[in-house]
Amino acid sequence: MTGSDIVAERRFASTLEAMTDEELFDLMAELEMGCEAPERLSVVDDLFAKIVLTESAIERRFPGQMLRPYKDWQSGQKPRPHVNVQQPVHGLRGR
């Protein structure tokens, strides 16, 4: 992996963090379909790397749920909104 590959990977990862849940799930679906396209075999390694980064972003956004929100989205169910675990939930302090 070259230095430019690392920079591109970091740029991609930071882009994932700025995406909405819907955008993130759409991207994951596109990446999965891209791996299945036979004419794209020359870039499969790049796609797999992006899939791993996207999976990690989903798992950070939905801690403890693995890819369940993405799977629910695929099946047409609306995923539960994610909660930032670093922010206190208002109204629950001191109970």
Side-chain angles (χ1 to χ4, degrees), residues 12-20 24 53 56-57 60-61:
F12 180 78
S14 67
T15 300
L16 296 174
E17 297 302 319
M19 290 181 168
T20 65
L24 191 61
L53 289 170
S56 295
R60 276 191 307 278
R61 197 170 285 196

Side-chain angles (χ1 to χ4, degrees), residues 2-80:
T2 67
S4 63
D5 291 336
I6 293 170
V7 169
E9 186 175 295
R10 287 183 182 158
R11 188 176 306 125
F12 180 78
S14 67
T15 300
L16 296 174
E17 297 302 319
M19 290 181 168
T20 65
D21 294 347
E22 185 78 18
E23 291 170 330
L24 191 61
F25 296 154
D26 279 335
L27 174 62
M28 185 64 166
E30 287 178 26
L31 291 170
E32 288 178 337
M33 287 188 315
C35 283
E36 296 170 3
E39 68 274 1
R40 305 238 3 208
L41 290 178
S42 62
V43 293
V44 167
D45 288 341
D46 185 47
L47 287 173
F48 282 135
K50 287 181 177 181
I51 286 173
V52 169
L53 289 170
T54 306
E55 284 177 347
S56 295
I58 293 170
E59 290 172 359
R60 276 191 307 278
R61 197 170 285 196
F62 298 94
Q65 296 183 51
M66 305 291 287
L67 292 176
R68 175 58 39 208
Y70 172 65
K71 298 296 181 186
D72 290 347
W73 175 84
Q74 278 184 314
S75 67
Q77 299 175 21
K78 190 169 184 156
R80 287 175 271 164

